[in-house]
Amino acid sequence: MSNGFDQDGEDLVIEPRREGGAIVVALRGEVTVFSSPTLRDRLHEIADGHRGRIVMDLAETTYVDSSGVATFVDMLKMVRQHEGDLVLAGISDRVRGVFEIARLADVFAMAETVEEALEP
């Protein structure tokens, strides 16, 4: 399923799936000011009322700008309100750097892989 487009017309692909009691959301492409609104809406649909773990699979996410970070912060707040937890998995050094610059790297749970993120 493809949702959202950046300025160059490149898709941000959003692929949610269930794994056990968790929801894994794989993102492929860039999370930018152009794709963030669609991503935010889609994440709210996916996570609404879910009380378990949500894993954001960022292994194929090539870039996140400040609006993308804000989208992840919004998601974290929503997940915590539903007594769940959010884990960012497979995050590249480039994307992790954006979270570090925003001083949010310690706010988010991060895992090397989706499998690690799904461990109890």
Side-chain angles (χ1 to χ4, degrees), residues 31 62-70 72 91-105 108 110:
V31 182
T62 55
Y63 179 73
V64 175
D65 69 8
S66 60
S67 67
V69 171
F72 288 115
I91 192 166
S92 69
D93 289 341
R94 180 180 184 195
V95 172
R96 183 186 304 265
V98 175
F99 283 87
E100 289 172 353
I101 289 169
R103 299 188 185 272
L104 293 170
F108 287 89
M110 296 186 187

Side-chain angles (χ1 to χ4, degrees), residues 1-69:
M1 172 183 327
S2 173
N3 300 76
F5 297 94
D6 68 19
Q7 192 172 24
D8 299 320
E10 294 179 23
D11 292 61
L12 172 66
V13 179
I14 305 166
E15 296 180 331
R17 67 184 186 275
R18 286 204 176 269
E19 288 205 23
I23 297 174
V24 177
V25 182
L27 300 180
R28 290 197 317 263
E30 296 185 353
V31 182
T32 67
V33 67
F34 304 104
S35 60
S36 288
T38 300
L39 176 60
R40 179 171 293 155
D41 291 345
R42 190 74 179 102
L43 290 175
H44 278 270
E45 290 171 14
I46 292 165
D48 189 39
H50 180 72
R51 295 193 180 276
R53 179 168 295 176
I54 297 178
V55 176
M56 302 299 300
D57 180 358
L58 303 179
E60 295 186 55
T61 303
T62 55
Y63 179 73
V64 175
D65 69 8
S66 60
S67 67
V69 171

